[in-house]
Amino acid sequence: MVLPIYIYGQPVLRKVAEDITPDYPNLKELIANMFETMDKADGVGLAAPQIGLPIRVVVVDLNVLSEDMPEYKDFRKAYINAHILEVSGEEVSMEEGCLSLPGIHEPVKRGSKIRVKYLDENLEPHEEEVEGYLARVMQHEFDHLEGKMFIDHLSTLRKQMIKGKLNAMLKGKAHCTYKVRTVK
Ligand code: NI
């Protein structure tokens, strides 16, 4: 089932999301719905707060990029109770967008390497080091679990320049091809 994506201004996007317990109801179905919602919106990642749930669940699909980055062929993963333990490496700037911030694309500086812990879809625990494009997507998505959005990383000047677009979203104007839920 495709779910509506919550747009900037929705309070759930600013909450610190909570870990879930193994008996969380209908987790498999929730993950399937998140994948379907992300696919429909042509996203590479989606965090549960973006569908209105303040829980630490993220889905990522990098297969769409595998023509340019063959290492991500068939890469499709869910991360549960995801936490970033460490960010390191060289700071790299790259343009980002977000399904909760339609029409905004800005360069964001992030470390090139991270150490993360999470449970996979079978609730098996993992701790790993991640680099490259995946490290960027994971930092973006895991930020959502801390109540952060990529615009928080921008300079005051860049923030000023997107203010009009943000204010329009607060008034319920979001031009997208996918189903959304604005604050008004
Ligand atoms: Ni996002």
Side-chain angles (χ1 to χ4, degrees):
M1 187 174 51
V2 175
L3 307 166
I5 292 176
Y6 283 53
I7 298 295
Y8 175 80
Q10 286 279 8
V12 68
L13 294 170
R14 292 312 199 174
K15 275 191 191 152
V16 177
E18 308 235 345
D19 280 342
I20 57 169
T21 53
D23 59 351
Y24 189 86
N26 307 112
L27 181 59
K28 292 255 180 228
E29 195 187 336
L30 169 69
I31 290 170
N33 289 343
M34 285 178 67
F35 273 120
E36 205 182 328
T37 302
M38 172 180 67
D39 292 345
K40 184 86 182 166
D42 288 324
V44 294
L46 184 73
Q50 295 182 275
I51 51 151
L53 295 176
I55 55 170
R56 301 187 82 89
V57 178
V58 162
V59 295
V60 171
D61 186 334
L62 298 186
N63 185 50
V64 285
L65 306 168
S66 63
E67 212 163 284
D68 296 322
M69 293 179 253
E71 67 269 34
Y72 297 130
K73 179 107 185 76
D74 299 324
F75 188 101
R76 197 167 163 88
K77 258 177 141 175
Y79 299 92
I80 298 154
N81 295 351
H83 294 267
I84 291 184
L85 303 172
E86 197 187 348
V87 180
S88 62
E90 194 190 334
E91 288 234 311
V92 184
S93 185
M94 199 186 268
E95 194 171 271
E96 293 189 17
C98 179
L99 296 176
S100 296
L101 291 160
I104 298 179
H105 296 88
E106 292 286 333
V108 178
K109 259 190 203 166
R110 298 189 190 270
S112 60
K113 200 171 173 184
I114 52 173
R115 205 155 56 81
V116 290
K117 66 166 189 178
Y118 63 91
L119 308 177
D120 64 24
E121 273 177 84
N122 303 312
L123 301 179
E124 292 294 325
H126 296 265
E127 193 176 317
E128 47 189 50
E129 286 215 331
V130 181
E131 287 182 85
Y133 194 79
L134 177 59
R136 168 156 307 260
V137 173
M138 284 170 95
Q139 285 177 81
H140 176 116
E141 297 310 328
F142 293 11
D143 261 4
H144 280 299
L145 306 181
E146 306 302 334
K148 287 190 207 151
M149 303 181 88
F150 83 84
I151 51 171
D152 302 343
H153 295 279
L154 304 181
S155 68
T156 312
L157 178 65
R158 297 305 305 180
K159 274 184 201 156
Q160 204 57 41
M161 291 176 81
I162 59 169
K163 209 161 183 184
K165 285 183 184 174
L166 294 178
N167 284 338
M169 285 180 217
L170 296 178
K171 289 183 187 133
K173 288 184 199 116
H175 302 287
C176 350
T177 54
Y178 45 92
K179 225 179 3 168
V180 298
R181 192 159 286 172
T182 54
V183 75
K184 271 190 186 162

